[in-house]
Amino acid sequence: MHDFEAVIGLEIHVELSTASKIFCSCPTTFGAEVNTQCCPVCLGLPGTLPALNRKALEYTVKAGLALNCQIARHTWFDRKNYFYPDLPKAYQVSQQDAPLCVNGYLEIPVGDSGTKKVGINRVHLEEEVGKSLHAGETIIDAVYSLLDYNRAGIPLIEIVTQPDIRSAEEAQTFLESLRNILRYIEISDCKMQEGSLRCDANISLRPKGSTAFGTKTEIKNLNSFRAVRRALEYEIKRQAGLLRDGLPVEPETRHWDEQKGVTVAMRSKEQTSFYRLFADPDLVPIDLSAEWIQQMERELPELPGARRERFIDEYGLPEYDARVLTAAKEMADFFEEVVKGYNDPKTVSNWIMTEILRYVKEQGEEAEGIPLPPASLVELLQLIEGGIINRNQAKEIVLPEMVASGKAPRQIVKEKGLEQISDTSQLEGVVASVLEANPDVVQDYLGGKEKVMGFLVGQVLKETKGKANPRLVNEMIREKLKQ
Ligand code: ADP
Ligand code: ZN
Ligand code: MG
């Protein structure tokens, strides 16, 4: 890939987590019995009238503000006309000509400490279509399809990036950052496996150093971050092969086949003019006041970038820690709760970044958050500080059990009999017998070989099955040999 550069732009659809649909009062709960959350409006029956859900408008504007967009003061909805079984009205209400939000950007991390701005072309509001369930391995070999209209009419935003992304890895990082910010502002749960965040990827190649764009293909059916990355990597190789052989890249829509790990031509690219767009006469145009937009801005919570800076200032954390901790809202919230109970931010950060994150990662890329309450980590850190257990016992025995059983650390320590022995009277006898059994080592120590102390302490730990408090044993031996 040394002679070509990839140019990538993403189109992302995100279902908003409003309680009801965009133009009717049907519920939006995921996983309900098929075709039970529908009414004449979202089924597109004749004679019905839509009424815009105010929350859907608020959420879209908040997404736009969080992505540094300009918000349109005057906007409206279009009908995008086409026939497909998942679209009962035969038109989708969308915003082709007057998107609510335009010209923004999202800053994403690149390399070890750099960042890069990816332009956001638009964020617009539209309605979700029904869900087709294909009877077959893939859409291509399906013999028939079933339809669930529960999803039809759920509010959906489309986010379109500028072609600013330059690699498959960067595309994945962009999606992770986008999901994080949308979760921060609580407008969607962004679950790719449930389809509430979906991504189509546009990609072309051009000779390195060139500024003109090459012909792009659009890849559909990307259901996970991994699929986005793999499909783009595949498509980069495929297009490079064509270009090297002097063959053209066809401007087409391609389907990602997850099993085979290839993209397959699906159809040639449709043109906007096919859709016969016109303003929806059933919906009134929208005029937003500057005050209302400011109100939305005030309601935004602290965003990941600002929170990262605050973590550095307020807790004295290194940039790296602050970045990792704020990369998911649940993790940043967890950190701040733990620090309230155990005021040593760097220690807490180390525990989260190494131990806790390991458990989060085991849940896969759709991790649902931290597998234990903040109070439990506070208690665990206090047990270590108080000398009740040591760090290794905490990491290797207590924490895994906390995650597996949900029990409190104190209870686990008790049940497993892990308390360190910090009572000199209980250790006196063991220390004496270890010294007696190792006269040569004692002589070495008295002769100035300080480092044999480690061996003696180790013997006491062995005798007590690791439960003796090593610091205390060290002191006791020192005292004894002074006499
Ligand atoms: P279309 O008219 O084919 O829908 P758009 O201009 O609306 O194309 O762009 C759709 C998406 O494709 C955007 O995310 C945009 O950044 C991206 N895109 C546009 N041109 C290219 C290109 N030459 N290579 C890769 N991506 C591109
Ligand atoms: Zn309905
Ligand atoms: Mg387009």
Side-chain angles (χ1 to χ4, degrees), residues 7-11 160-163 202-204 213-214 216 269:
V7 172
I8 299 167
L10 303 176
E11 292 170 281
V160 181
T161 79
Q162 302 286 11
N202 297 271
I203 170 156
S204 62
F213 286 148
K216 71 176 160 63
K269 182 80 188 148

Side-chain angles (χ1 to χ4, degrees), residues 409-426:
R410 227 174 267 285
Q411 191 187 348
I412 295 167
V413 167
K414 209 178 205 161
E415 284 174 7
K416 298 206 181 263
L418 296 175
E419 290 100 333
Q420 287 194 68
I421 307 173
S422 296
D423 176 354
T424 42
S425 67
Q426 282 185 57

Side-chain angles (χ1 to χ4, degrees), residues 18-22 24-30 32 36-39 42 149-155:
T18 51
S20 56
K21 292 187 179 179
I22 184 170
C24 61
S25 54
C26 290
T28 57
T29 0
F30 180 81
T36 56
Q37 304 189 140
C38 316
C39 72
C42 54
Y149 291 112
N150 282 353
R151 219 180 59 168
I154 288 179

